[in-house]
Amino acid sequence: AQSVTQPDIHITVSEGASLELRCNYSYGATPYLFWYVQSPGQGLQLLLKYFSGDTLVQGIKGFEAEFKRSQSSFNLRKPSVHWSDAAEYFCAVGRYSGGYNKLIFGAGTRLAVHP
Amino acid sequence: GAGVSQSPRYKVAKRGQDVALRCDPISGHVSLFWYQQALGQGPEFLTYFQNEAQLDKSGLPSDRFFAERPEGSVSTLKIQRTQQEDSAVYLCASTIAGEETQYFGPGTRLLVL
């Protein structure tokens, strides 16, 4: 069965430091992969997505992610974190069937940013 | 509209009450999804509509959960005889046909006492 694992439940970084959030997936075919961010009381905002092609994808707010098929990973990175990046981050894989994508989410990583 | 809207944003229900949660998708979006997000967890798929047709309801946890989208736009998720385990944030998402990216609403936070 398809699944997504985010090994880090909570991460704390200092403002200006680099960030990497890990995501591993289990999926039988080429996956559609997504990173979403959720701020308190808000819905999910799409940061970036990977469907095919270049394995390094750029997203909004200075985020990027790299798809590594051999490691079944899609880690999210940012070179310099801002205080406003504090939020919960969700990795998801799209299970495509019957003309639509059913998203399967990881449990999320909560990011705290120290000034 | 500018985005997916959901109402109410917060709902407190006594155990055993029925509740109805509303989702207004982005105008023109034919696909609509409902997800349930328990505290500390990622969202989990509940059901999927294409226009007014409910094509997938495999994620609905029990027959107390019912969703409809009669005119292919606004959708309502109804929970009958609510239980404490139904407490969660219910998220709605919409997308255009053939588009992989789902656009999420702010969610309805349901608390069952």
Side-chain angles (χ1 to χ4, degrees), chain A residues 27-47:
Chain A
Y27 192 72
T30 301
Y32 294 152
L33 293 162
F34 305 81
W35 274 100
Y36 282 88
V37 61
Q38 186 177 40
S39 298
Q42 303 296 313
L44 297 167
Q45 181 183 21
L46 179 70
L47 286 176

Side-chain angles (χ1 to χ4, degrees), chain A:
Chain A
Q2 296 85 3
S3 65
V4 176
T5 302
Q6 294 181 246
D8 305 304
I9 297 173
H10 191 275
I11 283 182
T12 301
V13 300
S14 298
E15 190 169 19
S18 63
L19 172 71
E20 181 169 29
L21 302 183
R22 296 182 291 165
C23 172
N24 293 95
Y25 66 90
S26 171
Y27 192 72
T30 301
Y32 294 152
L33 293 162
F34 305 81
W35 274 100
Y36 282 88
V37 61
Q38 186 177 40
S39 298
Q42 303 296 313
L44 297 167
Q45 181 183 21
L46 179 70
L47 286 176
L48 46 77
K49 59 190 177 185
Y50 171 78
F51 298 153
S52 64
D54 192 347
T55 56
L56 183 64
V57 294
Q58 302 297 320
I60 62 171
K61 304 184 180 184
F63 285 93
E64 67 178 26
E66 185 172 13
F67 170 60
K68 292 185 177 180
R69 184 186 300 276
S70 62
Q71 299 177 19
S72 296
S73 69
F74 189 57
N75 294 348
L76 181 71
R77 300 194 295 248
K78 187 170 185 178
S80 178
V81 170
H82 188 263
W83 64 267
S84 61
D85 293 325
E88 187 138 26
Y89 292 79
F90 293 94
C91 180
V93 62
R95 180 185 172 188
Y96 191 80
S97 174
Y100 64 98
N101 256 316
K102 182 187 299 187
L103 293 180
I104 300 167
F105 288 86
T109 297
R110 182 169 297 278
L111 174 66
V113 180
H114 277 175

Side-chain angles (χ1 to χ4, degrees), chain B residues 14-45:
Chain B
K14 293 182 179 179
R15 190 163 58 94
Q17 279 186 331
D18 297 348
V19 298
L21 312 180
R22 177 188 169 105
C23 172
D24 282 86
I26 295 172
S27 178
H29 281 196
V30 301
S31 298
L32 186 145
F33 301 79
W34 283 98
Y35 292 84
Q36 179 191 56
Q37 184 177 16
L39 188 65
Q41 299 298 316
E44 292 189 356
F45 171 83

Side-chain angles (χ1 to χ4, degrees), chain B residues 47-95:
Chain B
T47 187
Y48 165 70
F49 288 86
Q50 184 177 82
N51 295 304
E52 69 280 2
Q54 188 176 21
L55 300 184
D56 188 341
K57 51 183 180 180
S58 62
L60 296 177
S62 78
D63 58 8
R64 296 186 295 103
F65 286 71
F66 172 77
E68 60 183 8
R69 193 185 185 199
E71 297 179 356
S73 55
V74 171
S75 177
T76 303
L77 177 66
K78 298 179 179 179
I79 309 173
Q80 298 176 323
R81 305 181 303 282
T82 53
Q83 304 294 314
Q84 286 187 321
E85 62 263 29
D86 300 335
S87 296
V89 175
Y90 291 86
L91 296 165
C92 175
S94 70
T95 188

